[in-house]
Amino acid sequence: MISDKMRPLVENNSAIRAMFEEGKKLAALYGRENVYDFSLGNPNVPAPLAVNKAIIDILNEEESTLVHGYMSNAGYEDVRDAIAQSLNRRFGTGFRLENILMTVGAASGMNVIFKTILNPGDEVVVFAPYFMEYGSYVRNYDGVLSIVPPDTKTFQPDLKEFELRITNKTKAVIINSPNNPSGVIYSSETLESIARIMKEKEKEYGKSIVLISDEPYRELAYDGAKVPYVTPFYHNTIVCYSYSKSLSLPGERIGYLVIPDEMDDFQELSAAASIANRVLGCVNAPSLMQRVIMRCVDEQVDLESYNRNRELLYGHLTEYGFECIKPEGAFYLFVKTPVDDKEFCQFCKEHRVLMVPGSSFACPSYVRIAYCVSYDQILRSLPVFEKIAAAYGLGKKKEEDR
């Protein structure tokens, strides 16, 4: 019954979701407190109180037919204007409401853009490690994913390899900073280099190449780190944003696209994206949540809770002998494995510790550990991590290295 295009997706279901489902089964068998699930990037920090208040106030104060009704496919004009003005205050940009398109989260936003710009056979370049669903989104529209291998020393983009992978078939490039799964923030110097290479390739091939900046973790940056805003670096940039992490609203599916005036064929592109929003079946982003965002556009979650988790887990895992760069943003550790990453995940699962193999992010020999869990879960998991490290002799190797 199912289509040929869906069959491989069913057979290769998301490793993240599969591990999440495994965690629920183990919790039922052994008790939730005895299972250490670090698989899913599901925020454990509550949404700001302002979000709950906004929902109540909207239902009490705003006209029901407005709150729950249809609007333009691009979203409510006042909501889009509020977002544009917030971005302008924060980043010195000059956006208008016409530059904002409300979407059903960042995932839907990326599908809207790919629906808008991709022809069959067009290539989309991505830097490993990358969020695995990018490949599915690109293949939805018969595009081809071109993967730049990872630089596992820094996890910054390998620019030499990047330049080699841009061809006359390249239609778009995806960047994700702070990065899922590495937690790395792309520096201004890196963005300048990416922009320079893309401008040169546009000139060489005589065509437009779109830079898509996927930014669900923009607000999650630690130790005073700054996440550069991408649109000033390159004219053909589209920003995909989600409030799933910044406001802890992953299940509400609310986000937006930024399509700047500077983009080639701006009017036609933005009109087509708005239509794509409709024909993909979204029609428009959730109406109530749009109204909420307008009132909470500058709110943020309690970042210190994530930072405490980061410091605790990173400090102890490196003490036990695991190798990992300290993440600058997001809420993941990307840890080097002593053996094959899938084999390591299986061994950890036997100790009721769940994580995602790095091969799912096109970066084998690593695992992703999501620390957006309770502080107590991390504390309870530490003796188990120490036991796992000892089983592979990691602590002993670290002492020998000293």
Side-chain angles (χ1 to χ4, degrees):
M1 284 294 290
I2 67 172
S3 70
D4 291 340
K5 187 179 283 189
M6 276 303 301
R7 194 169 300 281
L9 297 180
V10 173
E11 292 171 354
N12 300 299
N13 193 17
S14 167
I16 298 174
R17 286 287 174 174
M19 197 63 75
F20 176 63
E21 294 301 325
E22 187 70 20
K24 292 197 290 186
K25 293 177 183 176
L26 291 175
L29 285 172
Y30 301 107
R32 185 169 299 279
E33 71 281 2
N34 298 312
V35 177
Y36 315 104
D37 189 350
F38 297 96
S39 62
L40 191 63
N42 190 24
N44 76 305
V45 175
L49 293 177
V51 170
N52 291 348
K53 183 177 187 303
I55 293 172
I56 294 169
D57 290 347
I58 289 165
L59 295 177
N60 287 332
E61 298 169 7
E62 297 190 25
E63 181 63 40
S64 177
T65 53
L66 169 73
V67 173
H68 302 299
Y70 282 134
M71 78 296 296
S72 299
N73 296 133
Y76 290 113
E77 285 79 2
D78 53 355
V79 176
R80 293 154 61 203
D81 183 64
I83 291 170
Q85 296 311 315
S86 173
L87 294 173
N88 295 342
R89 288 192 302 272
R90 296 168 60 201
F91 304 117
T93 49
F95 299 132
R96 303 169 293 120
L97 71 89
E98 290 82 2
N99 301 118
I100 309 297
L101 189 154
M102 303 304 297
T103 62
V104 186
S108 176
M110 296 192 82
N111 276 268
V112 165
I113 285 303
F114 291 140
K115 176 71 171 177
T116 301
I117 68 173
L118 290 185
N119 289 312
D122 282 345
E123 295 177 354
V124 177
V125 179
V126 65
F127 297 96
Y130 65 89
F131 179 52
M132 64 187 72
E133 299 289 6
Y134 291 163
S136 297
Y137 303 160
V138 170
R139 287 187 291 272
N140 281 343
Y141 312 100
D142 299 313
V144 178
L145 201 67
S146 178
I147 303 170
V148 179
D151 174 359
T152 54
K153 290 183 179 179
T154 66
F155 287 100
Q156 290 283 332
D158 186 327
L159 298 175
K160 290 183 180 179
E161 291 288 342
F162 170 55
E163 191 166 4
L164 293 174
R165 277 163 178 75
I166 298 182
T167 71
N168 61 357
K169 293 184 178 180
T170 302
K171 191 61 176 284
V173 175
I174 304 173
I175 58 174
N176 171 220
S177 173
N179 180 257
N180 172 13
S182 70
V184 161
I185 294 172
Y186 292 178
S187 65
S188 294
E189 293 75 19
T190 293
L191 295 175
E192 287 169 358
S193 295
I194 289 173
R196 174 184 54 77
I197 292 168
M198 291 181 67
K199 288 173 187 175
E200 290 172 355
K201 292 297 183 178
E202 279 194 324
K203 187 175 181 181
E204 177 181 347
Y205 296 121
K207 60 178 290 186
S208 301
I209 303 175
V210 179
L211 179 62
I212 301 171
S213 183
D214 182 31
E215 303 188 357
Y217 301 97
R218 163 167 287 283
E219 270 57 67
L220 275 59
Y222 310 104
D223 300 329
K226 300 297 182 184
V227 183
Y229 205 71
V230 181
T231 57
F233 290 89
Y234 182 69
H235 61 295
N236 276 329
T237 296
I238 293 175
V239 175
C240 286
Y241 187 83
S242 167
Y243 290 96
S244 293
K245 276 60 177 182
S246 63
L247 292 181
S248 286
L249 298 173
E252 300 295 352
R253 311 311 305 142
I254 186 69
Y256 61 80
L257 293 174
V258 179
I259 306 176
D261 291 336
E262 294 78 16
M263 290 205 68
D264 298 340
D265 303 321
F266 163 73
Q267 294 290 349
E268 185 179 25
L269 180 68
S270 58
S274 183
I275 293 169
N277 207 27
R278 181 179 80 235
V279 301
L280 286 175
C282 303
V283 182
N284 53 255
S287 56
L288 173 59
M289 294 314 300
Q290 287 192 53
R291 309 306 303 168
V292 170
I293 293 305
M294 188 175 74
R295 297 184 182 223
C296 301
V297 69
D298 292 321
E299 295 287 337
Q300 291 187 31
V301 295
D302 175 20
L303 191 60
E304 183 52 35
S305 295
Y306 291 136
N307 188 45
R308 286 178 70 223
N309 288 0
R310 178 185 73 128
E311 295 287 356
L312 178 66
L313 193 57
Y314 173 80
H316 280 81
L317 291 190
T318 53
E319 178 185 332
Y320 300 154
F322 289 103
E323 293 181 33
C324 174
I325 61 167
K326 191 171 187 179
E328 301 169 284
F331 42 49
Y332 307 107
L333 294 183
F334 206 47
V335 179
K336 187 171 178 58
T337 58
V339 292
D340 173 80
D341 55 323
K342 292 181 180 178
E343 177 187 334
F344 182 74
C345 283
Q346 180 60 38
F347 181 80
C348 291
K349 189 172 77 169
E350 292 168 6
H351 290 74
R352 301 175 205 153
V353 176
L354 304 178
M355 55 190 73
V356 183
S359 51
S360 297
F361 304 93
C363 190
S365 300
Y366 286 80
V367 289
R368 191 193 77 171
I369 301 175
Y371 57 82
C372 51
V373 298
S374 71
Y375 191 79
D376 180 64
Q377 176 179 309
I378 296 175
L379 281 175
R380 288 184 288 106
S381 72
L382 293 178
V384 186
F385 274 117
E386 188 172 17
K387 184 183 297 185
I388 292 168
Y392 289 103
L394 296 183
K396 184 177 180 181
K397 290 176 183 177
K398 185 172 182 180
E399 288 299 323
E400 290 173 351
D401 290 341
R402 290 176 181 172

